[in-house]
Amino acid sequence: MSFFSKLVGGGGGNSGSQSSSSRGPPSAADQAFARYAAAAEGARGGVGGGATGSAGQGAGFSPIEDHSLAIAHLRKLFADVKANASRMGPGEQASRLYVMLPVFCKVYSSLPSSEMSASFPDVGQFCSHASKLMVTEIKKRASNQSTVNASAAIVDFLEADALDESKSGGWMLLTTLNLLATGGKNLIEAMTACSLPSTLVKCLYLFFDLPPLPEATACSQQQQLTPCEQRALLQRTFTQLLVRLCSHTEPAEELVQKNDLSLLFGAVCSPCANHNVIWRKAAADVLTTLSRYGLTYTVRQYIHKEACIKQCVNGIMKAAGSPLDTVEMLVTICCFLKDASETNQNLLDDFWHANGYQRITQIILNLEEMDVQDWETATDNLICLAASLATCGCVQLKPSDTVANSICQIPNFTVPQPAGKGLSIRNIRAFHVLEEVFTKARTSKLCTSVLTAIFNIYKQDHANFFILDSQRTLSHLIERLYVREPSVQRQCLEILEFVVFQLRYVPMNELSSITKLIKTCNSARCKIIALQSLLKIAKCHEVLKDAYREVGLLDLLVACLHAYAHQLKESSELLVQHQPTASRACTNMLAEQRELGALVMQLLAFLLTTSVKNASVFRDAGGARCAHNMVPHDECRTDILGVVQQLVLSTASEDDMGCLLGLMHTAPPTAIRLKTEVLATISAVLQASHRCRSAFRRCSGFVYVISLLVSLEGSLKEQPGPPWDTADSSAVVLLLKTIFVTLTVAMKFEPANARFFKYEIRYDSLTEAVRLLGCFGPHADALPVPTASAAAGAEAGASSGSSSQPPTPDPSSSTPGSLRFDRVFQSAPVDEALVADYCSDLPQRLRCASFMLKCLFELGVESLEFGIDGGRGGVGSESDNAVMVASPEHSRHRKHLHNLTNQSPPPPAIVHPGAVLSFLQLIPAVYREAESSSVTVYRPLEKIHQQIRSNLSRMG
C-alpha cells in the first residue's frame, strides 16, 4: 500500500483482513500460499491423514458429505481431548491438537466464519487450547535466548514446509488461529484471555533482529517455495492474524495491561535491516488498525502517559536508514494520529510537544536537497499528510470575528460557516508546516506542491480562509514571492484572486502585502505579475477601488509612475545627445519597463474611473502633473492619455483641461500625432460629460482649437512649404478631421457652447482659417446662379411645405471634371484615405477642398461625432451615418427608415447655420479645371438647397 493510499484511507488497518482478490495483482506471498496449499494437499493425501481422505473419496461422497464427515471427525477428536484432559500430559495434549489442526483448516478455510459456531459448538474451547498452545510454543523458544536466536527459532517454528508436514505444525497452528480470528467477538475474547495478542506483538518486535536469509536460489520441483517466499508467506499470515485481533477493543486493552503496546509503537519507528523491513510494515498495518477500532479511553490514556508518540518521533529523528523509510514511519504515525484525534486532542498535543511538526518540515526539506529516487512522490505525500492533519481534531474552529468588520466589503458578503469534519481546519499547527516549507523551499516544484495543497484547503471549505485569517498565511506567502519563480508567483496570486472572486471578500491584509511586495521588489517581472493580478482583481467590484486607496496602493502607483517618467526622460536625453549607447539603452529599458509602465497606467486609469476620492489622492500625490508631463512621449502616450481622460472626467477640472489644450499650443508644428491624440482625448471627454463641455468653454478651448487650425496654414497646398513638405499628408488630414469632430462634440447638446462659438469665436474666423489651409483659391469667384425653373421649384416647395427633391442635373450634360468632383464630395471617406489613395486621378487641391467642405457641412448638421478612427461614405450615406452619428434616437430612426421600401432617409437638419454659410463662402474658392462648369459646384449647392427646404418645411 502506498503512502498516499494510507493517508486517504485513514491508515492500512484493514489491509491484513482483505482477500488477495481485493489487493490487485497477486503478490509473492499470495503465489507462495497457493503453491504451498497445493503441495501440502498432495503430501497429506486428504483430511486428517491418508486413511480418512482415502476413505472419504473412495466412498464417492459429495463435497457437502465430505465436510460433514470431516466436522464429525473433528468433533470426535476434540471430545477425546476433553475427556482425557486430566489424564494427558501437556505433550500428549499438544500432539492431539496438532492432529486436529489440518482437519480444522481443511474444513473452515472453505466455509463462512458464521458457520463455525453452529457446526462446531466446542469451537470456543478449541480456540482457547490452540491459543494456549501457540503462547506456550513461542515462550518455549524465546526463553533464555538472545533476540537473534529467539526470533530465528520462532520463525523456524512458524514457517511452512510443504515437503514435511511434521515440520509444519507451527504453520498449521498459525493458520488455524487466523481462521478462528474471523469467528466473532467470543473467539477474540478467548484468544485475548490466553495473552495471544501480547505474545504475537512480542514476536513481531523480535522479528526485527532476524538474521538475513540465505542467498536466493531457484527452488526445486519438490521444494516448491524459496526461502524468501516462505518468509513472505509467514509475514502475510502473521500480520493478518494480528490485524484481525486488533480490529476489536479487547486485544488493545490486553496490550495495555501487559505493557506491550509501547513495543508496537517502538516497532513502527525502529531502524532495522533491509531484509526485515517487511516486519516494520506489518507493525504499521497493525497500529493503524488499532487506531481505527481499538482506541478506548484506557488505550488513549496509556499512549499519553507512556509518551508513545514522543517515542515514535524520537525514533524517527534517530533513524539512519533510507529517507523513504523515514517517510514511511512518519506517515504511519500521522495516520494513527488522524484516527486518534476524532474524539480527543491529547495525542495531537503530544505530537506537537515532541516537535513532530518540525520533524515533518525537516524531512520535506531534506528530501528536496537529496538526490533520492522518487523524492518528489515522497514530498508530495508528506505535504498531503500535513494538509490532512490540518483538518484533524475534535474541536471545531470558527472564523475570526474581525472578518465581518472589514472597512471594505463587497455588498451581500457573509462569512461562511465551517463544513465540518474532514474539510474544515481544526489543527493550525499542522497548517503551519505548509507555510514554513514554502518559506524555506529551494525548488519551484516544492513551492508548487505547497501552494496546491493550500489552495485545495481553501477550496474544500470556504470557511478555512477565514478560520486562518488571523494567521495571515497568504500575506506571508505573498511577501516572499520576490525570491520565487514567475510560475510560483502566478500560482500564489491565483489563490488571492480566488478569495476575491469566489469568496467575495476584500482581503485587506493581502492587498497590503502586495503593495509591500511591489514597493520593495527589484524584479520588474515580479511587479508585472503582481500588477496583472491587481488589475484583474480590481474589476471584480467598485469597492476594490476604495480598498486599493486604503492600503496605500494608489500612492505607490503614483510613485511608480514618477519612476517610469524619469526613465523616459533619461532615454530621451540620451537620444538628444546622439550617444552611441542611446539606442541600446532605450531597448534594454523599454523591454520590461514599458510593460510595467503600461500596467501602472492602465491600473491608474481604472482606479480613477468614476472615483472622485481616488482622483483627489492622485492629484495630491503629484500624479496629475506627472501624467501631463508624460504625454509628449510617444512610448506611453496612449496609456497616459487614458489616465488623464479619467482624471478630467472624475473632477471636470479646468486645470487639467487647460493643461491638455496648452500642450497642443506649445507642441512643435510638426507634432501632428501628438496633437491628434490629445485632441481625440478631449473629444472623448467632451462627449461623455456636460461638466467637461462647460469647462472646455471656460478655459478657452474653442480658441485653442481654432488656433490649432490656423497653425496648419499651407499644409494642404499642392506643393506645401516647410515644415509641411516633410509632414505626412494623411496625418494632417486626420488632425483636421479631429478638429472638426471636437468642435461638433463641444457644441452638441450644449447650447451655451454653440452661442459662445457663434458670437465670440465667429464662423468668419473658422472660414478664414480653412481658406488658409492652401486647398482653396485666394479669391472667391461669383457663385453660379441656379436656373429660373430651379428657383421657382424651390420657392414652390418652401411655400407648400413639400419635401420634394430638387431637379437633378443630367449626368450626360456634365463635364468629366464635374462628375469627378460630385463623386468625391458624395462618397469620399472623411479621413486620411481621402488624400492618400481615393480618387487619385483628381488633383490634390480638389480632393482636399472637397474634404474640408464636407467637414464644414457635417459640422453644420452635427453629423460628425466621436469616432476619430473615421467613418466611411459621403454625406448622408448609410455607412457615414452608421459610423459618424452616435445618437441612439438617430440610430433607431435610421433603422426604421431603412426598413421602409422605396423611401430614402430624410436629410438631417441644419443645426449650425454659420458652418453652412462658411461652406457657401468657400465654394467659389474651390480650385476648378479649365473644362469645369457651373455644374461643378451644383452638387454641394443642391445639398444645401435640400437642407433649407427641409427646415422651412418643418417650420411651416
Side-chain angles (χ1 to χ4, degrees):
M1 177 180 293
S2 67
F3 303 152
F4 187 68
S5 299
K6 285 185 178 182
L7 177 62
V8 173
N14 287 336
S15 61
S17 60
Q18 291 174 345
S19 64
S20 60
S21 61
S22 64
R23 287 174 169 262
S27 62
D30 297 330
Q31 298 174 6
F33 182 83
R35 290 160 59 187
Y36 170 77
E41 181 69 21
R44 289 194 299 268
V47 178
T52 304
S54 300
Q57 294 175 3
F61 295 122
S62 66
I64 297 178
E65 293 174 340
D66 190 28
H67 277 92
S68 299
L69 290 174
I71 292 172
H73 183 63
L74 180 63
R75 286 165 149 180
K76 181 177 181 301
L77 291 176
F78 189 68
D80 292 341
V81 171
K82 289 195 301 179
N84 301 314
S86 58
R87 295 191 295 271
M88 287 189 298
E92 184 181 358
Q93 190 175 11
S95 299
R96 295 281 189 97
L97 284 174
Y98 280 124
V99 173
M100 298 170 59
L101 297 180
V103 182
F104 184 89
C105 292
K106 178 66 176 179
V107 172
Y108 291 106
S109 61
S110 58
L111 290 179
S113 59
S114 57
E115 296 185 10
M116 194 176 296
S117 299
S119 60
F120 187 17
D122 294 330
V123 68
Q125 297 182 33
F126 177 77
C127 179
S128 297
H129 282 78
S131 301
K132 291 178 181 178
L133 179 59
M134 175 64 80
V135 171
T136 301
E137 294 286 0
I138 290 175
K139 287 182 177 181
K140 180 172 63 176
R141 287 165 175 78
S143 179
N144 298 324
Q145 298 290 331
S146 65
T147 56
V148 175
N149 294 335
S151 60
I154 295 172
V155 166
D156 185 63
F157 167 69
L158 295 177
E159 279 186 337
D161 191 337
L163 298 179
D164 189 355
E165 185 178 358
S166 62
K167 296 181 180 180
S168 298
W171 167 252
M172 280 297 171
L173 181 57
L174 182 65
T175 305
T176 299
L177 291 172
N178 194 23
L179 290 173
L180 289 170
T182 64
K185 184 177 181 180
N186 292 333
L187 298 184
I188 296 296
E189 291 177 350
M191 293 179 178
T192 304
C194 298
S195 301
L196 180 63
S198 58
T199 303
L200 294 179
V201 167
K202 290 184 178 75
C203 288
L204 182 60
Y205 195 77
L206 286 173
F207 291 162
F208 278 64
D209 293 330
L210 281 170
L213 291 169
E215 294 184 3
T217 56
C219 59
S220 63
Q221 186 175 0
Q222 293 80 14
Q223 188 179 2
Q224 296 294 326
L225 295 176
T226 65
C228 290
E229 290 174 338
Q230 288 180 342
R231 187 62 51 84
L233 180 60
L234 172 62
Q235 187 267 347
R236 174 192 167 186
T237 307
F238 187 90
T239 304
Q240 195 174 53
L241 172 57
L242 263 178
V243 165
R244 288 174 176 174
L245 287 173
C246 291
S247 297
H248 301 268
T249 59
E250 291 80 9
E253 294 188 348
E254 193 263 341
L255 292 176
V256 170
Q257 293 174 2
K258 296 296 179 65
N259 197 23
D260 290 331
L261 184 57
S262 60
L263 294 179
L264 193 57
F265 280 94
V268 167
C269 301
S270 295
C272 62
N274 290 334
H275 62 275
N276 290 328
V277 171
I278 58 174
W279 299 110
R280 188 169 60 210
K281 293 180 178 178
D285 286 343
V286 174
L287 186 62
T288 49
T289 302
L290 187 146
S291 69
R292 300 183 66 182
Y293 303 105
L295 284 181
T296 62
Y297 176 79
T298 303
V299 176
R300 293 176 189 275
Q301 289 298 108
Y302 172 86
I303 297 173
H304 177 65
K305 291 180 179 179
E306 295 295 325
C308 295
I309 301 299
K310 182 178 181 180
Q311 173 188 355
C312 289
V313 174
N314 292 338
I316 293 174
M317 296 177 67
K318 296 176 182 178
S322 168
L324 298 181
D325 290 341
T326 305
V327 172
E328 184 177 1
M329 299 178 193
L330 192 56
V331 169
T332 301
I333 295 303
C334 291
C335 289
F336 176 86
L337 291 173
K338 180 181 176 182
D339 295 328
S341 62
E342 294 182 359
T343 57
N344 192 281
Q345 201 82 10
N346 290 340
L347 298 184
L348 279 178
D349 294 338
D350 291 345
F351 187 73
W352 175 60
H353 289 302
N355 298 322
Y357 298 113
Q358 295 180 12
R359 185 56 178 161
I360 295 177
T361 304
Q362 182 181 352
I363 292 176
I364 294 175
L365 296 176
N366 289 344
L367 285 172
E368 182 188 28
E369 296 178 356
M370 296 180 181
D371 186 14
V372 181
Q373 187 179 8
D374 299 330
W375 75 269
E376 292 183 359
T377 302
T379 53
D380 287 344
N381 288 334
L382 286 178
I383 289 171
C384 291
L385 177 66
S388 179
L389 282 178
T391 61
C392 296
C394 59
V395 179
Q396 180 62 65
L397 303 179
K398 300 293 183 181
S400 174
D401 295 334
T402 59
V403 172
N405 300 325
S406 178
I407 58 176
C408 295
Q409 285 189 359
I410 297 177
N412 301 323
F413 165 75
T414 56
V415 181
Q417 296 303 310
K421 174 184 173 182
L423 297 175
S424 303
I425 289 292
R426 296 185 175 186
N427 184 7
I428 295 179
R429 295 163 180 166
F431 187 81
H432 283 166
V433 171
L434 301 176
E435 181 181 346
E436 187 174 358
V437 169
F438 181 87
T439 303
K440 298 180 180 180
R442 297 184 179 181
T443 62
S444 298
K445 176 64 176 66
L446 184 55
C447 292
T448 299
S449 299
V450 172
L451 290 177
T452 301
I454 293 176
F455 200 3
N456 290 335
I457 288 175
Y458 288 157
K459 289 192 293 185
Q460 71 188 16
D461 185 0
H462 289 179
N464 284 340
F465 177 81
F466 303 102
I467 293 174
L468 296 166
D469 181 70
S470 60
Q471 308 300 315
R472 299 191 60 186
T473 301
L474 194 53
S475 296
H476 295 157
L477 299 185
I478 292 173
E479 291 173 0
R480 296 285 299 172
L481 283 183
Y482 66 93
V483 297
R484 300 302 177 194
E485 296 295 326
S487 59
V488 177
Q489 296 169 359
R490 293 189 186 94
Q491 186 180 8
C492 184
L493 293 176
E494 284 176 2
I495 301 177
L496 182 62
E497 294 170 9
F498 166 81
V499 173
V500 176
F501 286 97
Q502 300 299 323
L503 306 187
R504 308 296 294 174
Y505 176 68
V506 181
M508 301 297 290
N509 292 332
E510 286 71 16
L511 293 178
S512 298
S513 297
I514 292 187
T515 303
K516 181 179 179 181
L517 174 68
I518 297 174
K519 185 176 182 179
T520 59
C521 177
N522 294 324
S523 170
R525 178 53 51 187
C526 179
K527 293 181 180 180
I528 289 172
I529 294 173
L531 288 174
Q532 288 173 341
S533 181
L534 286 172
L535 184 58
K536 182 178 180 181
I537 290 173
K539 297 177 181 178
C540 176
H541 197 274
E542 289 293 317
V543 74
L544 270 303
K545 296 178 182 178
D546 298 330
Y548 283 14
R549 182 183 67 253
E550 294 296 333
V551 299
L553 182 59
L554 186 56
D555 293 320
L556 178 61
L557 291 175
V558 175
C560 293
L561 189 66
H562 280 286
Y564 184 55
H566 180 69
Q567 292 173 346
L568 290 175
K569 183 179 179 181
E570 289 182 345
S571 300
S572 300
E573 291 176 351
L574 288 175
L575 291 174
V576 170
Q577 296 171 4
H578 301 288
Q579 294 185 7
T581 59
S583 178
R584 184 170 62 255
C586 292
T587 302
N588 294 337
M589 187 277 293
L590 295 177
E592 287 186 338
Q593 295 298 332
R594 269 189 175 180
E595 184 179 1
L596 177 60
L599 283 170
V600 169
M601 291 180 285
Q602 291 170 19
L603 185 53
L604 280 172
F606 186 82
L607 295 180
L608 294 178
T609 305
T610 67
S611 178
V612 178
K613 291 184 178 179
N614 283 358
S616 177
V617 173
F618 179 77
R619 189 182 305 280
D620 294 341
R625 179 185 295 274
C626 179
H628 287 298
N629 293 336
M630 292 175 66
V631 173
H633 295 284
D634 294 337
E635 298 88 346
C636 64
R637 184 178 301 135
T638 301
D639 290 320
I640 200 63
L641 283 176
V643 176
V644 175
Q645 176 178 332
Q646 296 305 324
L647 181 64
V648 175
L649 286 173
S650 299
T651 60
S653 170
E654 295 182 19
D655 295 336
D656 295 318
M657 183 71 74
C659 287
L660 284 177
L661 294 169
L663 186 61
M664 294 189 301
H665 181 70
T666 58
T670 55
I672 299 175
R673 180 182 172 188
L674 168 64
K675 297 176 181 179
T676 303
E677 294 185 8
V678 171
L679 203 56
T681 302
I682 295 175
S683 300
V685 169
L686 295 178
Q687 188 180 38
S689 171
H690 157 74
R691 295 168 58 200
C692 292
R693 291 193 290 268
S694 299
F696 178 79
R697 180 184 72 250
R698 290 193 298 270
C699 63
S700 303
F702 288 109
V703 176
Y704 279 106
V705 174
I706 295 300
S707 300
L708 178 60
L709 183 60
V710 172
S711 69
L712 295 174
E713 179 181 354
S715 60
L716 295 185
K717 287 183 178 181
E718 193 76 34
Q719 294 181 350
W724 309 117
D725 53 346
T726 58
D728 184 4
S729 58
S730 298
V732 173
V733 172
L734 180 59
L735 176 57
L736 288 169
K737 176 195 170 182
T738 309
I739 290 174
F740 279 88
V741 169
T742 305
L743 292 175
T744 303
V745 174
M747 291 188 287
K748 189 171 185 179
F749 306 123
E750 201 69 35
N753 283 5
R755 288 193 301 270
F756 180 85
F757 187 86
K758 179 179 179 181
Y759 294 109
E760 300 295 334
I761 305 300
R762 303 182 66 85
Y763 283 97
D764 292 343
S765 302
L766 177 63
T767 304
E768 189 62 25
V770 173
R771 186 192 303 274
L772 294 176
L773 292 175
C775 58
F776 294 95
H779 304 290
D781 298 334
L783 282 171
V785 180
T787 62
S789 59
E795 293 175 0
S799 61
S800 62
S802 173
S803 59
S804 60
Q805 301 295 328
T808 304
D810 184 7
S812 61
S813 63
S814 303
T815 64
S818 65
L819 290 177
R820 292 197 301 270
F821 186 87
D822 182 72
R823 175 183 165 200
V824 169
F825 189 87
Q826 191 171 19
S827 304
V830 187
D831 60 11
E832 63 277 11
L834 173 67
V835 179
D837 52 15
Y838 191 81
C839 293
S840 57
D841 57 331
L842 292 178
Q844 172 75 10
R845 289 181 62 185
L846 184 57
R847 280 184 285 158
C848 292
S850 65
F851 167 77
M852 296 311 304
L853 289 174
K854 180 176 181 179
C855 288
L856 282 169
F857 178 78
E858 292 184 345
L859 173 62
V861 297
E862 284 190 345
S863 61
L864 269 174
E865 286 201 10
F866 186 67
I868 304 303
D869 291 338
R872 295 293 184 267
V875 176
S877 68
E878 184 68 24
S879 61
D880 184 63
N881 289 337
V883 178
M884 303 303 294
V885 180
S887 171
E889 292 79 10
H890 184 78
S891 299
R892 290 193 296 270
H893 183 57
R894 184 177 68 250
K895 182 178 180 181
H896 172 69
L897 292 177
H898 180 72
N899 294 331
L900 297 178
T901 59
N902 299 325
Q903 294 187 19
S904 60
I910 295 176
V911 181
H912 304 295
V916 177
L917 290 176
S918 297
F919 174 91
L920 293 172
Q921 292 172 8
L922 289 172
I923 284 179
V926 174
Y927 166 79
R928 288 180 290 174
E929 296 178 355
E931 71 275 10
S932 63
S933 65
S934 62
V935 184
T936 304
V937 294
Y938 187 88
R939 176 63 63 184
L941 291 178
E942 178 187 333
K943 292 290 182 180
I944 300 299
H945 189 192
Q946 187 178 10
Q947 308 309 314
I948 295 174
R949 287 194 307 161
S950 176
N951 282 277
L952 289 175
S953 175
R954 293 191 187 97
M955 294 173 60

